[in-house]
Amino acid sequence: PDLALAISITHDVSAEARAVATSASMGSFVHARLSTPGGSAIKSGGHAVWLADELARIVREIVRDQKAARIHVFPACPVAFAFLLGQRSAALGPVTMYEYDFGVSKTYRPGMST
């Protein structure tokens, strides 16, 4: 089964991500979040790198333990953090990144896949 990963840094996206993951029968759902989400939740570039490294490490363990075939990522984070996480994506396996459609559908839709 696939793994759905909601990343709540700027705001909580767990409900929206879970709705998409459930309707698509993605399997396991993981919610990675900071204790206080918001625009200033990431304190510095070093903090962002540390967060990306830790998230990649934890997700690798989950993928290994659950034998997930693909990771579906639902981010609410600064684009710089998404870039840092993307640099680590080869270690995670196949990834589909979702983007939130603020226009018509008001939901997450697949953006790109590796």
Side-chain angles (χ1 to χ4, degrees):
D2 291 352
L3 171 72
L5 172 64
I7 302 174
S8 296
I9 293 178
T10 56
H11 61 280
D12 189 333
V13 295
S14 59
E16 293 98 335
R18 189 178 297 276
V20 174
T22 300
S23 69
S25 301
M26 288 183 189
S28 298
F29 183 85
V30 174
H31 184 206
R33 63 191 179 280
L34 297 179
S35 58
T36 307
S40 60
I42 296 178
K43 305 300 181 197
S44 66
H47 185 215
V49 168
W50 180 83
L51 288 170
D53 286 343
E54 281 300 296
L55 182 56
R57 182 187 63 76
I58 291 166
V59 170
R60 267 195 317 270
E61 290 176 7
I62 294 168
V63 166
R64 182 193 66 229
D65 293 347
Q66 296 184 6
K67 297 176 179 43
R70 175 169 291 280
I71 304 167
H72 299 266
V73 181
F74 301 88
C77 62
V79 70
F81 179 80
F83 174 78
L84 290 170
L85 188 59
Q87 288 182 315
R88 290 141 181 84
S89 67
L92 302 177
V95 172
T96 297
M97 186 70 93
Y98 287 70
E99 58 185 329
Y100 192 82
D101 178 8
F102 288 97
V104 178
S105 69
K106 304 264 192 260
T107 189
Y108 276 98
R109 298 188 315 182
M112 63 180 189
S113 293
T114 61

